[in-house]
Amino acid sequence: MDTTIYDHDSDIDVTHKINTIELDNWINHLNYIKKELKNLTKLYAGDLEVKMQDKDIISRFEKKQAENETLLNVLHRYQSSRTDIIECEDMQCDMNYITEHETYRRSYLYHLDKYRRLKDEFFERVQGRINLLRSQL
């Protein structure tokens, strides 16, 4: 779908184009999170795991990796299904796509919130452990 917004585009066309751009951004962001989780897991599985004495975080990273992959697959399927938007001939069809997009937006934002909380908790634990080790010196 051409995502260039033209003056002659209807409000619905503009909405579909913006939603397409947004979906592409979600997928790119989830791909970045996939790499970041891989790096965080490697980082933690090295010396940090021994120093932190906390194996729970690795399993939580692995669970989040699986959830991230599942959402990525769902969004790719959704992206493929959007090719028929141009075939919509009435407002009901357009609204179905818009409503469906809102559902995926909520899923993406929920996943993102949970991931950020996990990452914040990880860094708080690491920072706490570093502060503890410094205070023991």
Side-chain angles (χ1 to χ4, degrees):
M1 171 184 256
D2 177 20
T3 56
T4 306
I5 298 174
Y6 299 101
D7 290 338
H8 64 274
D9 284 341
S10 70
D11 290 345
I12 292 293
D13 290 336
V14 170
T15 299
H16 287 316
K17 288 178 179 185
I18 290 170
N19 285 352
T20 298
I21 293 167
E22 184 177 48
L23 176 58
D24 289 341
N25 286 333
W26 295 344
I27 290 171
N28 288 333
H29 192 204
L30 291 175
N31 280 321
Y32 176 81
I33 288 172
K34 182 179 182 176
K35 290 176 189 174
E36 190 173 51
L37 279 164
K38 186 177 178 181
N39 289 332
L40 287 169
T41 301
K42 274 193 217 175
L43 173 71
Y44 193 78
D47 291 341
L48 274 180
E49 186 173 16
V50 173
K51 291 177 180 163
M52 294 288 293
Q53 300 172 353
D54 184 358
K55 297 193 183 295
D56 173 57
I57 200 77
I58 284 283
S59 64
R60 292 175 65 201
F61 280 157
E62 289 169 349
K63 181 180 176 192
K64 192 53 65 185
Q65 283 173 318
E67 292 170 359
N68 195 73
E69 193 63 33
T70 298
L71 183 55
L72 214 79
N73 290 335
V74 166
L75 291 181
H76 278 296
R77 282 193 303 275
Y78 168 55
Q79 187 177 43
S80 296
S81 76
R82 291 177 52 83
T83 57
D84 295 334
I85 285 177
I86 201 155
E87 303 299 323
C88 281
E89 294 181 8
D90 61 11
M91 187 62 88
Q92 183 61 43
C93 176
D94 288 317
M95 290 309 298
N96 287 340
Y97 278 104
I98 292 169
T99 301
E100 182 180 27
H101 188 81
E102 290 304 313
T103 301
Y104 287 111
R105 177 183 286 128
R106 283 190 297 277
S107 295
Y108 167 76
L109 291 174
Y110 178 78
H111 175 75
L112 195 58
D113 180 58
K114 292 296 195 183
Y115 172 66
R116 286 177 175 161
R117 288 176 191 226
L118 174 61
K119 195 166 75 168
D120 287 346
E121 181 182 336
F122 168 73
F123 284 117
E124 285 172 11
R125 285 183 185 186
V126 168
Q127 186 63 45
R129 185 68 178 155
I130 289 170
N131 290 340
L132 178 66
L133 291 173
R134 282 185 183 156
S135 69
Q136 294 174 349
L137 293 177

